[in-house]
């Protein structure tokens, strides 16, 4: 998979591995880099079948497969301990990694993630699949901001979103891959295994997230023995982009406690 290693270069530096959501792009984490690169080694990657990691995903592709791909990448980089930060689908990857190889994770941060399917998110993803199948990538990209950001933020950032939409459309993944990725997150369910995850975990939720109800994060934190919950009041599903100042402060405070 395509990957970048930024910030500190010494192997002893605290290592942060970032995993984005359904879009699968390392580019998602741009608002976090300015506050991290001086003190941390940062690993970003494009997920398989997305962006600069071309692949034809197999039938039955799962979140477990995504976790094994990240583990293989980190093994190739000789990274034996890291803090893992995952947004939405990326958070599901983190949960799988914590089950598959807990010794790797010094801590994890799960942002607007979930442990099992819920009816509201299922409805949202069904709409996105219908848009992709029946109306095509342009309609899918145009609707994406509605799921990710608060309405007032969208209204105030129309020029930025136009650029983001153009970039997303120019680098749109093969639709079959995207449908398989949506099917993987719809099938994901580790609800019965949360008590087995002992990695120190910060669960971040947004009260105004219209894609994943914040109560899904509350459920995660309540069932994981070493998890704490932080509910943010503003930012929608992607507050790391729409309100990065608050998000970065919360992220840094937690990671610093774990070193």
């Amino acid at each position: 998979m395509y990957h970048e290693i930024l910030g500190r270069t010494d192997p002893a530096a605290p290592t942060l591995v970032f995993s984005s959501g359904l879009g699968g792009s390392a580019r998602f984490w741009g608002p976090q880099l300015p506050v991290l690169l001086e003190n941390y080694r940062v690993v970003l990657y494009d997920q398989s079948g997305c962006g600069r990691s071309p692949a034809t995903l197999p039938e039955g592709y799962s979140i477990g497969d995504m976790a094994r791909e990240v583990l293989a990448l980190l093994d190739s980089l000789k990274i034996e301990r890291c803090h893992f930060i995952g947004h939405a689908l990326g958070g599901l990857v983190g949960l799988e990694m914590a089950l598959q190889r807990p010794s790797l994770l010094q801590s994890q941060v799960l942002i607007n993630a979930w442990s099992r399917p819920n009816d509201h998110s299922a409805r949202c993803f069904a709409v996105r699949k219908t848009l992709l199948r029946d109306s095509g990538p342009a309609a899918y990209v145009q609707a994406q901001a509605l799921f990710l950001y608060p309405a007032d933020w969208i209204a105030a950032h129309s020029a930025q979103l136009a650029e983001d939409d153009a970039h997303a459309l120019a680098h749109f993944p093969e639709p079959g891959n995207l449908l398989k990725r949506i099917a993987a997150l719809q099938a994901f369910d580790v609800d019965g295994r949360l008590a087995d995850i002992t990695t120190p975990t910060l669960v971040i939720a947004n009260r105004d997230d219209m894609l994943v109800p914040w109560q899904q994060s509350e459920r995660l934190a309540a069932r994981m023995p070493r998890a704490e919950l932080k509910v943010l009041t503003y930012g929608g599903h992607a507050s790391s982009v729409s309100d990065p100042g608050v998000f970065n402060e919360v992220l840094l405070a937690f990671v610093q406690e774990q070193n």
Side-chain angles (χ1 to χ4, degrees):
M1 292 186 294
Y2 174 85
H3 64 278
E4 304 172 29
I5 302 178
L6 307 173
R8 289 176 56 180
T9 57
D10 51 302
T15 300
L16 310 183
V17 178
F18 284 84
S19 183
S20 60
L22 184 58
S25 173
R27 185 172 181 264
F28 177 78
W29 300 105
Q32 282 60 67
L33 298 182
V35 300
L36 297 174
L37 297 187
E38 181 178 353
N39 296 312
Y40 295 96
R41 179 170 60 162
V42 175
V43 179
L44 308 174
Y45 72 101
D46 285 356
Q47 296 173 13
S48 290
C50 303
R52 294 156 290 187
S53 296
T56 299
L57 302 180
E59 294 297 329
Y61 187 64
S62 70
I63 301 296
D65 293 326
M66 298 181 202
R68 284 184 282 273
E69 290 167 350
V70 181
L71 291 171
L73 172 64
L74 298 180
D75 286 346
S76 73
L77 299 174
K78 296 181 169 43
I79 293 174
E80 298 179 351
R81 291 280 281 172
C82 68
H83 304 277
F84 186 88
I85 298 97
H87 173 256
L89 178 148
L92 312 191
V93 173
L95 287 167
E96 270 287 351
M97 290 172 64
L99 289 166
Q100 292 184 26
R101 198 188 300 175
S103 61
L104 174 71
L105 299 182
Q106 190 170 345
S107 74
Q108 63 177 344
V109 180
L110 310 176
I111 306 143
N112 292 322
W114 60 94
S115 60
R116 67 176 185 181
N118 71 88
D119 292 342
H120 173 80
S121 297
R123 179 182 289 266
C124 292
F125 284 114
V127 168
R128 297 176 85 176
K129 288 168 68 173
T130 299
L131 279 170
L132 181 57
R133 285 173 170 159
D134 296 349
S135 301
Y140 180 95
V141 168
Q142 187 177 32
Q144 186 161 264
L146 303 176
F147 294 102
L148 295 182
Y149 307 120
D152 64 326
W153 192 90
I154 292 173
H157 293 81
S158 58
Q160 176 183 334
L161 287 172
E163 292 180 6
D164 290 346
D165 288 355
H167 182 275
L169 194 56
H171 298 85
F172 199 81
E174 199 283 316
N177 280 350
L178 183 52
L179 291 171
K180 290 170 184 172
R181 286 168 57 78
I182 294 175
L185 62 82
Q186 288 178 315
F188 179 77
D189 188 345
V190 295
D191 202 61
R193 302 183 66 191
L194 291 178
D196 298 331
I197 298 176
T198 58
T199 302
T201 301
L202 173 63
V203 181
I204 299 178
N206 284 84
R207 200 173 291 274
D208 61 348
D209 183 352
M210 68 81 62
L211 181 59
V212 180
W214 68 269
Q215 291 89 348
Q216 294 298 109
S217 293
E218 184 179 47
R219 182 183 187 87
L220 277 177
R223 296 188 172 213
M224 296 169 64
R226 300 183 67 187
E228 59 183 273
L229 174 67
K230 178 69 174 180
V231 180
L232 306 179
T233 58
Y234 179 78
H237 186 61
S239 61
S240 58
V241 175
S242 57
D243 196 14
V246 172
F247 177 88
N248 291 348
E249 183 179 349
V250 171
L251 172 65
L252 275 174
F254 176 75
V255 171
Q256 288 168 355
E257 288 178 0
Q258 307 310 312
N259 286 320

